[in-house]
Amino acid sequence: MTQGKEKSKTTIRNDERENEEMNGHAEQPQTAEERDKIKLLSRSDTLKVNSEDAEEQTHLRPDSDEQQGDDDIYELTTPFNLIIQRHEGETCGGQIDGEGVALFEGGHMYKGMFSNGLMDGRGVFTRVGGLKYEGEFVRNMPMGQGTFTWPDGSSYKGEVYKGIRHRTGTYKCADGVSYSGQWDQGKRHGKGAVYYNQDKTSWYKGDWVKNNREGWGVRCYPSGNIYFGEWKNNLRHGEGTMRWLKLGQQYVGMWQNGVQHGRGTHVWILKGADESHYSQSNKYTGDFAQGQWHGRGAFYYASGAIYEGEWRNNKRHGKGKFTFKDGHVFDGEFMDNQTMTLNLNGNRDPTSLCDSDSSILGPDMALNIGCLLDKLPERERDAERKQVEFVVLMQVAELRSVYSFYSRLGHAHSPDNIFMLTRLQLWRLLKDCYIHHHDITLTQIDRSIREDATTAEIHSPFTPMLFQRLLSCLVIVAYHIYHKDIVWEKNLLAACFSKLMTDNILPNAKNVKGFLFRQPDCAVVAMNYLKKCWEVYQAYCRVNAFTEDDQTMTCKQLLWMFKDLHLLDNNLTAATLMEIITAETHVLSNLSSCLDQEITFLEFFEVLLGSAEVKYQVSESQSLSSPDTHDRRDVPELEASESILQTTSSPSQSMVKSGDTAESSTAEDVDCEKDVKTKVSETPQSAGHTEEHGHKGKDVKTRVMEATYHDQELWIQMIHQFFNIFFFPAFEHNQSRYMKKEKLRQETQRHIA
């Protein structure tokens, strides 16, 4: 063997037998004029991932989350001829032999071992386009252990047979998708694992048949949901189990083409919050057809009710037996979830079962949303109800925690901590979650969730709110504030409720705002004045109500009440009072719209608390024992504020003005009214936001909303001073004066008659 360097064109010699064994990958020239050729099998491929595989679809019905799997890995097998332009290295008998470098026409290059003129042993072949193979060669063919690297950054490391991935190896895409396992002629085949993202939260491990998930395997989705069972053509097919972790659901049974089909069991498992021992489960076991309950099956409701019989398209349909939670049994015909009973004429009429028995939510969570379902086409109502129930099931643990948290507000600590939510606490929850920022007032919400409540209960802060009523309230509220933003034609109620939970409830609940509940110990003290203040609120509502159901107060009436009871002074001016009233208001378009807005008792009571803190702030020159400024009439700012009220017509001349003659407006009155409008329009959107105004160096937000209670006894004394010494006596005096005038008016009318 001789060593040397060839600078002229040469060929790699193969005999005819070798050419046959190489399957045409190298050809023996027949004449001296023909050029030697090498055909090298090359490929460039990508692990394509279907969008439904890269991210699990989260349908509300969890039976069709993935319809297809990966697309096949496509192969680009392009033989190309290689003509050596020059080579450097060892030669033997005129042929390249040993270690060397060969440059081919077109720019391809090989560096490595040669034997008898053929690439044989370890070497690196680099194609002009960027494809590189580094590994073992056998007679011009990549075979054995090797590594392919493609121009896009993808790579394969493992066993190679005739230039194709074969037996075992690992392929990595540039985007982080990877497969490690068995191969057969360039296709995933056998046992292997695919990771569909870089953080490896989405993966499949199991059997493959020619690039398809087929056989037995486990699929974990980015959401954490997991399926383990049989597959065919990339779809769940055969026997398997699917677990939806966030939904708290599980299906065990037969699958066909990706959906439940055949016999199976679907279970809804609910677990309460950490402080609760509540647990519940609903279960269906029976026949499925294309993902729906269809055939014979039994549904076990968490309430204890059971239905056993025939189903059609997720509805009780055909012969069946329904056992109610109290043991009562109906055995007969069903049609579209309704029982068929005989009427007086001997015909069968459909009759609905009690929602608390038929709802998958159970009796303590059954939704009362008939007012919403009536707005939808009749054919869609049952599906809409079920879909929103599924979403409620997803959030029930957090909602129970929210219910428990707000029901404890205003109560002293109790060993069992078991309280029932009231409407007062519901109002606070809605305001904490900024529901009133969506062009709907709390009083409008009260009317929309009235159900069968009496007139007196509609706006009462003491009305109890069971957990199921809270759920219904939130579904109704979600529809009212979001239905115009949802463009989907189906699952409208479920979509609205999901948006409410995501945008409002989950980020904001338990972050208590306002004047009443912000400090737990002080809230317990303030609750002692609740009942008497409710009587005051009702008294003003009765006088100003136009209808029996319309016993609410407006901001204008509240302003007049403060003026009528002589509560305004140089500390608590009309402008400052308006800042307190609008502390949590989202947008103030104009003063008139704000004055006409209805307020609930919570808002009324919190204005009283905020006013007390502003009115009786302790300073070095003034003590709580002598707050004598409430009767002053010589303060210009106070006089201007009162003139504003006089320019606004009183909602009730008889009670609010108490017979006083309205004073004419002056230029000073007009200027002060403009000042109030300016202050109101500049009110920050958030109660916690502070902004410097010119009012005594600090605005009401700084002095009140961010007030701290370093001395709780001082605060208690301040609240006692306001309610017991001024507010309640002033109201009783005003009521007495009003009653005397009313009695005199009636006597005068009788005398005239």
Side-chain angles (χ1 to χ4, degrees):
M1 182 173 65
T2 62
Q3 298 182 1
K5 295 184 179 180
E6 296 279 350
K7 296 298 183 182
S8 60
K9 293 184 180 180
T10 184
T11 60
I12 299 180
R13 305 293 301 271
N14 295 322
D15 59 26
E16 199 169 322
R17 180 179 58 82
E18 290 174 336
N19 286 329
E20 292 175 356
E21 291 179 355
M22 296 304 298
N23 197 21
H25 287 212
E27 294 182 358
Q28 171 72 25
Q30 300 299 317
T31 64
E33 296 178 355
E34 293 179 345
R35 297 176 175 177
D36 295 335
K37 301 177 181 179
I38 297 178
K39 293 183 179 180
L40 182 64
L41 180 63
S42 68
R43 57 174 300 176
S44 175
D45 62 2
T46 303
L47 266 179
K48 286 191 173 182
V49 181
N50 187 283
S51 61
E52 296 178 1
D53 215 7
E55 182 65 35
E56 179 191 14
Q57 295 182 1
T58 53
H59 291 289
L60 297 176
R61 274 307 300 264
D63 51 17
S64 57
D65 60 343
E66 181 189 342
Q67 298 301 322
Q68 294 181 359
D70 309 329
D71 290 338
D72 287 347
I73 296 178
Y74 69 89
E75 292 184 341
L76 179 62
T77 305
T78 307
F80 53 90
N81 297 330
L82 297 177
I83 301 174
I84 297 179
Q85 287 184 325
R86 61 178 182 175
H87 76 275
E88 298 178 359
E90 301 174 348
T91 61
C92 181
Q95 294 182 341
I96 305 174
D97 196 282
E99 188 173 1
V101 177
L103 300 178
F104 305 96
E105 281 190 350
H108 313 302
M109 183 181 73
Y110 172 80
K111 180 180 181 180
M113 299 302 297
F114 289 84
S115 177
N116 296 323
L118 303 176
M119 294 178 289
D120 197 278
R122 292 199 60 83
V124 178
F125 181 88
T126 304
R127 188 177 176 180
V128 69
L131 169 65
K132 182 172 74 172
Y133 170 79
E134 181 177 1
E136 298 176 352
F137 286 79
V138 176
R139 295 181 179 180
N140 280 348
M141 185 64 62
M143 293 185 68
Q145 293 288 330
T147 300
F148 279 103
T149 304
W150 284 269
D152 64 356
S154 302
S155 65
Y156 169 82
K157 183 177 182 179
E159 294 184 83
V160 179
Y161 179 75
K162 292 186 177 180
I164 298 177
R165 293 167 294 188
H166 193 70
R167 294 189 181 92
T168 60
T170 298
Y171 177 79
K172 295 182 179 180
C173 289
D175 58 5
V177 180
S178 66
Y179 170 82
S180 181
Q182 296 178 314
W183 300 78
D184 184 75
Q185 296 297 316
K187 295 182 180 293
R188 289 164 286 170
H189 191 89
K191 299 286 185 181
V194 165
Y195 291 96
Y196 296 105
N197 53 17
Q198 291 184 349
D199 55 7
K200 296 186 177 181
T201 58
S202 177
W203 49 266
Y204 169 82
K205 299 178 181 179
D207 296 332
W208 297 82
V209 175
K210 298 197 179 298
N211 276 348
N212 291 324
R213 295 191 295 266
E214 195 158 312
W216 194 94
V218 180
R219 175 75 167 95
C220 181
Y221 299 91
S223 62
N225 298 339
I226 192 167
Y227 170 83
F228 50 93
E230 296 181 286
W231 296 78
K232 184 177 181 180
N233 195 28
N234 287 324
L235 298 175
R236 298 184 289 267
H237 191 95
E239 187 173 357
T241 298
M242 181 76 188
R243 293 176 180 171
W244 295 269
L245 299 184
K246 293 182 179 179
L247 291 175
Q249 300 181 36
Q250 176 177 286
Y251 171 80
V252 180
M254 300 304 296
W255 298 76
Q256 186 179 83
N257 296 326
V259 297
Q260 300 100 318
H261 190 86
R263 295 289 296 182
T265 298
H266 196 124
V267 181
W268 291 258
I269 303 174
L270 304 179
K271 295 182 179 180
D274 294 339
E275 67 273 13
S276 171
H277 298 291
Y278 173 83
S279 63
Q280 178 185 17
S281 63
N282 297 276
K283 180 174 71 172
Y284 171 84
T285 181
D287 295 331
F288 287 78
Q290 299 302 315
Q292 295 186 320
W293 310 330
H294 194 94
R296 291 198 60 83
F299 198 104
Y300 300 88
Y301 298 91
S303 64
I306 303 173
Y307 172 78
E308 300 171 284
E310 298 178 347
W311 297 79
R312 188 176 72 178
N313 298 332
N314 283 340
K315 296 181 179 180
R316 298 181 293 272
H317 192 94
K319 291 185 177 182
K321 181 176 70 173
F322 195 100
T323 304
F324 294 82
K325 59 185 178 182
D326 60 1
H328 173 69
V329 176
F330 174 86
D331 194 345
E333 291 286 334
F334 289 78
M335 179 178 291
D336 292 336
N337 272 344
Q338 296 180 316
T339 61
M340 303 300 293
T341 57
L342 292 174
N343 58 23
L344 296 177
N345 298 325
N347 299 322
R348 293 185 178 271
D349 291 333
T351 304
S352 297
L353 290 171
C354 174
D355 284 344
S356 63
D357 288 320
S358 59
S359 171
I360 65 172
L361 293 175
D364 73 326
M365 296 194 299
L367 301 178
N368 188 351
I369 54 173
C371 59
L372 299 183
L373 296 175
D374 290 342
K375 301 176 184 291
L376 305 174
E378 186 174 356
R379 65 180 182 278
E380 300 176 5
R381 293 174 185 173
D382 186 64
E384 288 280 351
R385 180 179 63 83
K386 285 187 176 180
Q387 296 295 352
V388 76
E389 285 178 350
F390 282 126
V391 181
V392 171
L393 281 172
M394 293 171 55
Q395 305 288 352
V396 70
E398 182 61 32
L399 288 171
R400 284 193 178 276
S401 177
V402 169
Y403 182 92
S404 177
F405 176 86
Y406 279 90
S407 65
R408 295 196 298 267
L409 293 182
H411 294 284
H413 179 73
S414 174
D416 52 11
N417 283 328
I418 297 176
F419 300 103
M420 184 177 294
L421 189 77
T422 65
R423 193 182 298 273
L424 182 75
Q425 296 154 335
L426 172 65
W427 288 328
R428 188 65 264 166
L429 166 63
L430 297 176
K431 294 202 75 173
D432 288 345
C433 297
Y434 303 105
I435 302 302
H436 60 300
H437 287 186
H438 294 271
D439 296 327
I440 185 171
T441 65
L442 299 183
T443 54
Q444 291 173 328
I445 294 175
D446 288 340
R447 297 184 183 103
S448 66
I449 63 171
R450 176 174 180 172
E451 297 182 358
D452 56 351
T454 64
T455 302
E457 293 176 333
I458 294 177
H459 303 299
S460 170
F462 308 108
T463 302
M465 308 293 293
L466 296 174
F467 182 61
Q468 66 182 113
R469 195 168 187 184
L470 171 65
L471 297 180
S472 300
C473 169
L474 295 181
V475 174
I476 293 171
V477 167
Y479 173 81
H480 281 296
I481 67 177
Y482 286 126
H483 76 278
K484 294 181 180 179
D485 300 332
I486 304 298
V487 297
W488 304 337
E489 295 182 0
K490 295 183 178 180
N491 307 329
L492 175 62
L493 301 184
C496 290
F497 184 77
S498 295
K499 187 170 179 61
L500 179 78
M501 292 298 298
T502 302
D503 294 357
N504 299 96
I505 305 298
L506 296 179
N508 301 303
K510 303 181 184 180
N511 182 18
V512 180
K513 306 173 184 65
F515 295 97
L516 176 56
F517 297 117
R518 58 184 177 178
Q519 294 289 337
D521 294 335
C522 294
V524 174
V525 175
M527 294 292 283
N528 294 326
Y529 303 96
L530 194 69
K531 186 176 181 180
K532 182 65 177 178
C533 290
W534 170 239
E535 294 175 2
V536 176
Y537 179 87
Q538 286 181 300
Y540 275 85
C541 289
R542 280 194 296 269
V543 172
N544 300 298
F546 294 100
T547 66
E548 184 181 7
D549 290 348
D550 196 29
Q551 295 186 9
T552 59
M553 181 180 288
T554 64
C555 293
K556 181 191 299 182
Q557 294 164 359
L558 181 58
L559 281 168
W560 271 102
M561 185 196 77
F562 270 76
K563 186 264 180 185
D564 189 49
L565 299 182
H566 304 298
L567 297 175
L568 299 176
D569 56 22
N570 62 333
N571 281 338
L572 183 63
T573 65
T576 304
L577 180 59
M578 281 302 300
E579 290 189 36
I580 297 174
I581 294 174
T582 60
E584 293 186 81
T585 303
H586 179 43
V587 176
L588 296 176
S589 57
N590 56 71
L591 179 62
S592 177
S593 62
C594 176
L595 291 175
D596 293 333
Q597 181 172 304
E598 292 179 304
I599 60 174
T600 62
F601 175 73
L602 171 68
E603 295 158 307
F604 170 82
F605 190 53
E606 290 196 328
V607 168
L608 295 181
L609 294 175
S611 300
E613 295 182 17
V614 171
K615 187 176 178 67
Y616 302 116
Q617 290 294 315
V618 180
S619 65
E620 294 180 0
S621 60
Q622 180 184 0
S623 65
L624 285 173
S625 60
S626 55
D628 56 358
T629 58
H630 74 287
D631 258 343
R632 293 184 59 182
R633 292 284 183 257
D634 57 346
V635 180
E637 186 179 10
L638 174 59
E639 293 176 355
S641 297
E642 291 189 348
S643 66
I644 294 174
L645 294 174
Q646 302 227 359
T647 60
T648 306
S649 60
S650 170
S652 174
Q653 298 293 336
S654 61
M655 180 174 181
V656 180
K657 296 186 68 176
S658 304
D660 294 340
T661 304
E663 300 176 3
S664 59
S665 299
T666 64
E668 185 180 8
D669 297 338
V670 175
D671 292 339
C672 191
E673 182 179 5
K674 292 180 180 179
D675 179 63
V676 173
K677 291 182 179 181
T678 302
K679 286 180 178 292
V680 173
S681 64
E682 292 176 352
T683 301
Q685 296 182 5
S686 171
H689 177 74
T690 61
E691 181 180 347
E692 288 297 330
H693 297 286
H695 182 66
K696 297 184 182 298
K698 293 183 179 179
D699 69 354
V700 70
K701 305 298 187 309
T702 304
R703 292 185 290 127
V704 178
M705 295 303 293
E706 294 187 350
T708 57
Y709 300 107
H710 297 294
D711 190 342
Q712 184 175 337
E713 293 299 324
L714 186 63
W715 185 89
I716 294 174
Q717 184 183 358
M718 177 179 65
I719 296 300
H720 172 81
Q721 184 99 0
F722 176 78
F723 283 113
N724 293 327
I725 298 180
F726 296 102
F727 181 68
F728 293 150
F731 170 73
E732 292 169 359
H733 175 73
N734 191 67
Q735 282 286 88
S736 176
R737 185 173 56 177
Y738 169 73
M739 294 301 294
K740 289 179 181 180
K741 290 189 176 184
E742 181 67 16
K743 183 178 180 180
L744 179 61
R745 184 186 63 81
Q746 293 175 357
E747 290 177 353
T748 302
Q749 289 180 345
R750 284 198 302 269
H751 179 72
I752 295 175

